[in-house]
Amino acid sequence: MGQEMKVIVFALAHEEYGVEVEKVKTIERMQPMTRVPKTPDFVKGVINLRGVVTPVIDLRGRFGFAESEYTENTRIIIVGVDDIEVGLIVDSANDVIDVDTDHIADPPEIVGGIKAKYLHGIAKIDDNRLLVLLNLKEVLNKSEIVQLENIEE
């Protein structure tokens, strides 16, 4: 047995994705955002989360999917990577599961249109359930984060 890794499962465009629980700060409902000029389209703006100004990106837009209407299931997953907190808009956040690290395969070059560099791997949960694990460092890629950091000044 490999180690167990706890991941939060969320849905995006009818696929299931996961991020490690320890990178997730909180999961919030949708809320009004302040738009920020001169940012990429997928940067939806900033929210004030308990006194912290947090940039929010739409993961669908980040991966080049068609963006969709937000519903009451839409969530903002607040993740922390390298001292930066960013909110990721997802279609819904479903549950927390344990993934055996032995069951994580390297991602193929492209999964559902997402480049492999954004992915940490594909986890096999049971016979017919695959979970795409995100590589948050790349999803929140440095050059874009630099833009986001400028927002806060």
Side-chain angles (χ1 to χ4, degrees), residues 60 66-72 74 91:
R60 279 174 170 256
E67 292 181 15
S68 67
E69 292 293 308
Y70 302 136
T71 69
E72 63 265 26
T74 303
D91 296 353

Side-chain angles (χ1 to χ4, degrees), residues 122-141:
I122 308 284
K124 193 167 190 248
I125 308 302
D126 50 38
D127 289 343
N128 53 9
R129 193 174 176 200
L130 292 174
L131 195 61
V132 180
L133 300 173
L134 293 188
N135 173 353
L136 286 177
K137 270 197 167 57
E138 276 302 330
V139 171
L140 310 177
N141 165 322

Side-chain angles (χ1 to χ4, degrees), residues 24-147:
V24 174
K25 305 289 190 230
T26 61
I27 297 179
E28 306 287 333
R29 293 181 164 277
M30 273 311 271
Q31 45 195 277
M33 290 176 217
T34 306
R35 280 290 303 178
V36 181
K38 297 216 265 298
T39 52
D41 280 350
F42 60 80
V43 178
K44 290 300 159 200
V46 293
I47 55 176
N48 186 332
L49 210 53
R50 290 173 279 286
V52 180
V53 174
T54 305
V56 175
I57 67 177
D58 190 312
L59 263 194
R60 279 174 170 256
R62 179 71 181 91
F63 292 147
F65 298 161
E67 292 181 15
S68 67
E69 292 293 308
Y70 302 136
T71 69
E72 63 265 26
N73 293 323
T74 303
R75 293 290 178 272
I76 302 174
I77 300 180
I78 308 292
V79 296
V81 180
D82 300 337
D83 305 329
I84 298 167
E85 287 193 15
V86 178
L88 307 175
I89 300 175
V90 302
D91 296 353
S92 62
N94 304 334
D95 46 11
V96 177
I97 57 174
D98 290 313
V99 173
D100 181 339
T101 52
D102 283 349
H103 294 170
I104 298 175
D106 286 336
E109 276 308 291
I110 291 196
V111 180
I114 302 178
K115 294 189 190 70
K117 69 172 187 172
Y118 295 138
L119 307 177
H120 167 66
I122 308 284
K124 193 167 190 248
I125 308 302
D126 50 38
D127 289 343
N128 53 9
R129 193 174 176 200
L130 292 174
L131 195 61
V132 180
L133 300 173
L134 293 188
N135 173 353
L136 286 177
K137 270 197 167 57
E138 276 302 330
V139 171
L140 310 177
N141 165 322
K142 216 54 197 162
S143 60
E144 281 143 17
I145 286 182
V146 168
Q147 292 178 307

